Amino acid sequence: MSEPLVLGIETSCDETAIGIVRGRTLLANEIASSVEEHARFGGVVPEIASRAHLEAILPSIERAVNDAKISLRDLDAISVTAGPGLVGALLVGTASASGLAQGLGIPLYGVNHLAAHVSVDYLTHDLPTDPTIALLVSGGHSSLLRVDDITGSITKLGATMDDAAGEAFDKIARILDLGFPGGPAIDREARNGNPTAIDFPRGLTTSNDWATRPYDFSFSGLKTAVARYIESTPVNVRADVAASFQEAVVDVLLLKALAACKSSGIDSLVIAGGVAANSRLREVATERCAKAGIQLRIPNPGLCTDNGAMVAALGSLMVSAGRPATKGAFDADSSLPVERVALA
Ligand code: KG4
Ligand code: ZN
């Protein structure tokens, strides 16, 4: 089927998100977020997220179907995030999706949230000539991937050894009193600061690291360095700290992503996940990729953070590639590895 009509359901964290695509055309992208209910706790509270998903999911599906001007009966398939994520939150999505798919008598795809982040780029850019390198940077994960086929062949080249990039943004924002979620807040604050004011460490970039784990990341040393700097500097300039911290993260992410392109001989890079919305990451990536002759693809900022369009996009690609649907009733897998694009 070349232009399948697919509804995607995403409930892995604090967004109840529904996307509808026809082939690679986005028809609806409905997002209900419970982020404000979590803000006073400084992070996502799983029980609150699950309850919010239960309340939001049916009205969100209804709104998306109305936006797309389709009827549920027109759908060719449903896809749903099966993992990784918060198990209680995921279950709201998978239970709703299987009920809907069974009721409509259409195939259901239980797909990987991380692969979905990468696949959303296929909606806005021409199909990348596989293989491509993908830098996946979200609140829960940071990895460098080699994608030979987004519907079935993803190899992990490296990953963070401690915090995810988004998690580092969130933690530093808390130290700087910038609120939650921290990524967008640091992005804004950094615009008033000097990115070269403070030379914060770039994790895992010694010559030994390049020899032994070139594509892994570590942000814990950077986090400690920022905390120490703030404690020991009486008049610290918050904007300079935010800008210099952001610069260190952006620098190390791109150093490693471009090194992966170079050593694999792949001149295509996709950057995906919530942190890909970062304006400085987008800017520096554009400059460095142009210089290195690497074709860069980053989804629009609104499609970088969690959304349903990405889940629908991956579902649509699975259908078009003739991949088999997920069989029978299936459980969510809170720690689904990135190499498993979909459940069998
Ligand atoms: O992909 P995502 O929406 O959810 C997960 O799958 O985790 O990523 C959320 C993460 C959060 O840590 C958030 O602070 C970060 O993405 N983020 C950003 C920006 N927007 C969101 N980080 C840096 N700059 C941004 N503009
Ligand atoms: Zn995500």
mmCIF file of all heavy atoms in Angstrom, residues 36 64 69 123 170 213 313:
data_model
loop_
_atom_site.group_PDB
_atom_site.id
_atom_site.type_symbol
_atom_site.label_atom_id
_atom_site.label_comp_id
_atom_site.label_asym_id
_atom_site.label_seq_id
_atom_site.Cartn_x
_atom_site.Cartn_y
_atom_site.Cartn_z
ATOM 1 N N GLU A 36 2.121 20.626 33.105
ATOM 2 C CA GLU A 36 1.912 21.589 34.196
ATOM 3 C C GLU A 36 1.605 20.901 35.519
ATOM 4 O O GLU A 36 1.934 21.421 36.579
ATOM 5 C CB GLU A 36 0.798 22.567 33.826
ATOM 6 C CG GLU A 36 1.360 23.674 32.955
ATOM 7 C CD GLU A 36 0.318 24.511 32.265
ATOM 8 O OE1 GLU A 36 -0.833 24.544 32.741
ATOM 9 O OE2 GLU A 36 0.676 25.100 31.229
ATOM 10 N N ALA A 64 -8.447 14.530 16.774
ATOM 11 C CA ALA A 64 -7.532 14.259 15.653
ATOM 12 C C ALA A 64 -8.315 13.802 14.420
ATOM 13 O O ALA A 64 -8.050 14.245 13.302
ATOM 14 C CB ALA A 64 -6.508 13.202 16.063
ATOM 15 N N LYS A 69 -10.353 15.282 9.118
ATOM 16 C CA LYS A 69 -11.564 15.152 8.265
ATOM 17 C C LYS A 69 -11.667 13.740 7.682
ATOM 18 O O LYS A 69 -11.856 13.551 6.472
ATOM 19 C CB LYS A 69 -11.565 16.206 7.149
ATOM 20 C CG LYS A 69 -11.584 17.628 7.680
ATOM 21 C CD LYS A 69 -11.776 18.640 6.566
ATOM 22 C CE LYS A 69 -11.902 20.052 7.066
ATOM 23 N NZ LYS A 69 -10.739 20.517 7.879
ATOM 24 N N LEU A 123 8.452 12.695 7.197
ATOM 25 C CA LEU A 123 7.265 13.463 6.822
ATOM 26 C C LEU A 123 7.636 14.807 6.212
ATOM 27 O O LEU A 123 6.881 15.366 5.433
ATOM 28 C CB LEU A 123 6.392 13.752 8.052
ATOM 29 C CG LEU A 123 5.665 12.599 8.726
ATOM 30 C CD1 LEU A 123 4.886 13.113 9.920
ATOM 31 C CD2 LEU A 123 4.739 11.908 7.749
ATOM 32 N N ASP A 170 17.440 19.523 31.880
ATOM 33 C CA ASP A 170 16.430 19.665 32.939
ATOM 34 C C ASP A 170 17.085 19.869 34.300
ATOM 35 O O ASP A 170 16.637 20.694 35.096
ATOM 36 C CB ASP A 170 15.505 18.431 32.957
ATOM 37 C CG ASP A 170 14.658 18.329 31.692
ATOM 38 O OD1 ASP A 170 14.413 19.370 31.042
ATOM 39 O OD2 ASP A 170 14.243 17.206 31.337
ATOM 40 N N ARG A 213 35.729 4.402 23.242
ATOM 41 C CA ARG A 213 34.249 4.543 23.170
ATOM 42 C C ARG A 213 33.896 5.853 22.478
ATOM 43 O O ARG A 213 33.333 6.766 23.102
ATOM 44 C CB ARG A 213 33.629 4.454 24.565
ATOM 45 C CG ARG A 213 34.403 5.234 25.613
ATOM 46 C CD ARG A 213 33.956 4.926 27.017
ATOM 47 N NE ARG A 213 34.880 5.573 27.943
ATOM 48 C CZ ARG A 213 34.844 5.427 29.231
ATOM 49 N NH1 ARG A 213 33.933 4.666 29.776
ATOM 50 N NH2 ARG A 213 35.706 6.056 30.004
ATOM 51 N N ALA A 313 3.823 8.175 11.568
ATOM 52 C CA ALA A 313 4.795 8.142 10.459
ATOM 53 C C ALA A 313 5.486 6.787 10.403
ATOM 54 O O ALA A 313 5.605 6.178 9.330
ATOM 55 C CB ALA A 313 5.832 9.254 10.630
#
